[in-house]
Amino acid sequence: MVKNSISPFGPERDVFFMRQALKLARKALACDEVPIGAIVVSPEGVVLGRGYNKVIGARSQTEHAEAVAIRRAGKKLGDWRLEGCWIYVTLQPCAMCINLIHLSRLSGVIYGAESPLFGYHLDKGAGLRVYKRDALATLGGVESSESVLLLKQFFKEKRRLRDERKKQ
């Protein structure tokens, strides 16, 4: 994996796209889901798929924001191959999602906040080698403060509710 690469869209467009993913993360938060949003962008800079976490509501760990956005992009293109496309996600993808990104043949991933517990960096030794194509461009830290703030807000509320239940 190539870390801290530069996307083909440039820093201003990266912020623009990440802010769209952050809107989706806020939508997840409003649905009491872990606030993560993702968008898939074509090589021409067109948003092909949007998604936010739906794991809790769907009762399925496969409903990560990245998976939802990739599924919608594939449906829009009429192809599972998303060659040349990039994904913007508010939190560093987990092992499942980074492998889905590889399998979908995306060119790169741009994420906001690091994920010290579940981010793919912990699993990169076990990453897939898909069709001998193992170079995936990555760029982290884009609009990370907003991503971190949403995550902290979500988990702070979860801890507060847990503590209230314990007191009862």
Side-chain angles (χ1 to χ4, degrees):
M1 293 183 203
V2 181
K3 189 143 185 167
N4 294 325
S5 301
I6 297 174
S7 81
F9 307 111
E12 287 179 16
R13 295 287 287 171
D14 289 345
V15 168
F16 172 78
F17 291 131
M18 186 60 72
R19 287 183 177 161
Q20 289 186 43
L22 283 163
K23 285 180 185 176
L24 293 163
R26 285 189 285 277
K27 197 170 186 178
L29 182 64
C31 296
D32 200 30
E33 296 275 354
V34 178
I36 302 170
I39 63 168
V40 174
V41 179
S42 75
E44 298 78 28
V46 175
V47 176
L48 299 173
R50 293 177 170 81
Y52 60 89
N53 261 15
K54 296 181 177 185
V55 173
I56 296 167
R59 294 176 178 86
S60 173
Q61 62 275 35
T62 63
E63 292 300 305
H64 285 201
E66 298 94 325
V68 174
I70 288 170
R71 185 170 51 248
R72 289 180 176 167
K75 191 172 184 175
K76 186 168 188 173
L77 283 181
D79 194 348
W80 61 269
R81 293 173 196 87
L82 301 175
E83 292 174 315
C85 296
W86 284 67
I87 190 165
Y88 289 77
V89 60
T90 59
L91 183 67
Q92 184 181 36
C94 67
M96 176 183 74
C97 290
I98 204 69
N99 285 318
L100 175 61
I101 289 166
H102 272 290
L103 287 167
S104 301
R105 299 184 183 171
L106 281 105
S107 293
V109 58
I110 297 176
Y111 62 89
E114 295 270 335
S115 179
L117 293 176
F118 300 107
Y120 70 88
H121 65 289
L122 297 175
D123 306 301
K124 65 182 170 187
L128 287 180
R129 298 292 184 246
V130 179
Y131 310 110
K132 297 183 181 181
R133 178 185 172 269
D134 62 353
L136 178 67
T138 64
L139 175 63
V142 177
E143 297 290 286
S144 63
S145 58
E146 177 69 17
S147 296
V148 168
L149 184 67
L150 288 170
L151 290 161
K152 284 183 176 180
Q153 180 183 350
F154 176 80
F155 288 110
K156 182 179 179 181
E157 178 64 13
K158 291 297 176 193
R159 285 189 299 276
R160 186 188 68 75
L161 291 171
R162 179 200 63 207
D163 293 345
E164 277 183 13
R165 281 192 301 272
K166 282 183 180 180
K167 288 178 185 177
Q168 295 175 352

